[in-house]
Amino acid sequence: MSNTTVRPTSSVTSTVTRRDHPTPVLGTLGLFTVLLGAALPLIDFFIVNVALPTIEHDLAAGPAMLELVVAGYGVAYAVLLVLGGRLGDMIGRRRLFLLGMAAFGLTSLACGLAPDAWALVGARVAQGAASALMLPQVLATIQATTAGPRRARAMGLYGATAGLSMVAGQILGGVLVAADVAGTGWRSIFLVNVPVAVVGLVLAARSVPETKSHRPAPVDVPGTLLLGVSLVTLLAPLTEGRAAGWPLWTWISLAIFPFAAFAFFRTERAADRRGEVPLVPPSLLRLDSLRRGLALVLPFSIGFGGFMFVIAVALQQGLRMGPVTAGLALVPMAAAFFVASLAGPRLVGRYGSRVVTAGSLIQLVGVALLAATVWWGWSDLGIAALAPGTAVAGFGQGLQLPVLMRIVLSDVPSDRAGVGSGMMTTTQQAALALGVATLGSLFLSLNSSMGMREALAITLLLQLGTVAVTALLSLRLPRGAVR
């Protein structure tokens, strides 16, 4: 029976098992489905940015509560991502993907029906947890079911999807809020996820193959708890501190962070030396591609997360743009990112990882152009004036992110795919949240003391620093690191 060829029953490629290909193969429909699962969590991290003013008005939510709406999702998402990857390795990535997709749809419904601000915060935390179950299975499934050029293409599409989703989230949020579908206002940004999740469940049940680790390891309970404490004690006070007036708990939390992080590292290293499989195996960090790739993902994502939050606030509150106009201002960035991500695979084949260096330098020019435009053209600033800077920055980002993701996972063994993808997505998500917390908080503080134009210009100049760090670190990537 195991030697029987299973042929797809429709014109759309599904899961195929052949004599000469003993491992499950992710077909076209399956790849589309898992990429949909990758897009939803990232869209929902950014989709609320342009809806915050209407949420504040509708639910009488103050600044601290609005920060929790953003941070509750981001912190829960970041804390549980590595655990989600481990669980997928253990009990099946397709099963966890389906569970995460179903939970994402239900928690999105809860967000859309939230009667007050605290209910919305609770639903957002649950939505972040659901995303953490779903997203690690995407990269792990791609790693386990593709090889060679197919894997390179799939990873390129994943990187493009991730980048586009982060920009598209704010564009889509602006359109939905302004459309006020059936009088739902800001609630539509969450309710729209419900039918999409249903479609995702149907497609996943049909087209995504089941994979799991051949040597599944038990859940690392001490590592999971210590990672959670480390991320919460860092991200929660940085995100909530400014809006809450920096109460005592924020300083206590920040003081706990280095001890929790050190305890996490020691615990994981000890487990690794005993031959166990810790939540984040230090031995994986011996892979040059993973270690050096993660070092670039960190500053890239900090700058990206901070920029997306800051630009949403500046366009709506500083320039008095409506949600649709504020969203459309980012269309040149999304379009340029898409074009660059399509060109990336061919450029990588010729120039290797130096494409990342070129992308960071192009992004540097774009952010500098934006800063100059803001400083000298603030009074007449509109979509047309912003377009050159956002387009150039987006093109540079499109050359970096898909390639970085391929580099990080290029040497990770397939049976560690869930752990590797969990490490990468946790780094990315924690850095995105850290960017919102640091650059976002700085921008809001500067705005209250200096004005919107000055605050935005200074924040963009600081983002230039994160881009410069990415450019310098990219020089350490071996040219043959991309597969």
Side-chain angles (χ1 to χ4, degrees), residues 28-72:
T28 303
L29 182 60
L31 179 60
F32 170 81
T33 304
V34 295
L35 291 179
L36 176 66
L40 287 175
L42 290 169
I43 286 174
D44 266 63
F45 181 80
F46 290 96
I47 201 169
V48 298
N49 285 346
V50 292
L52 290 176
T54 54
I55 293 174
E56 179 179 20
H57 178 269
D58 192 29
L59 298 183
M65 190 62 68
L66 292 177
E67 295 276 7
L68 279 176
V69 171
V70 177

Side-chain angles (χ1 to χ4, degrees), residues 313-333:
V313 175
L315 294 182
Q316 292 188 90
Q317 296 184 9
L319 296 173
R320 303 300 177 190
M321 292 184 181
V324 172
T325 307
L328 291 178
L330 296 175
V331 168
M333 175 179 281

Side-chain angles (χ1 to χ4, degrees), residues 160-171:
T161 299
L164 283 173
S165 299
M166 290 187 276
V167 180
Q170 292 191 189
I171 298 173

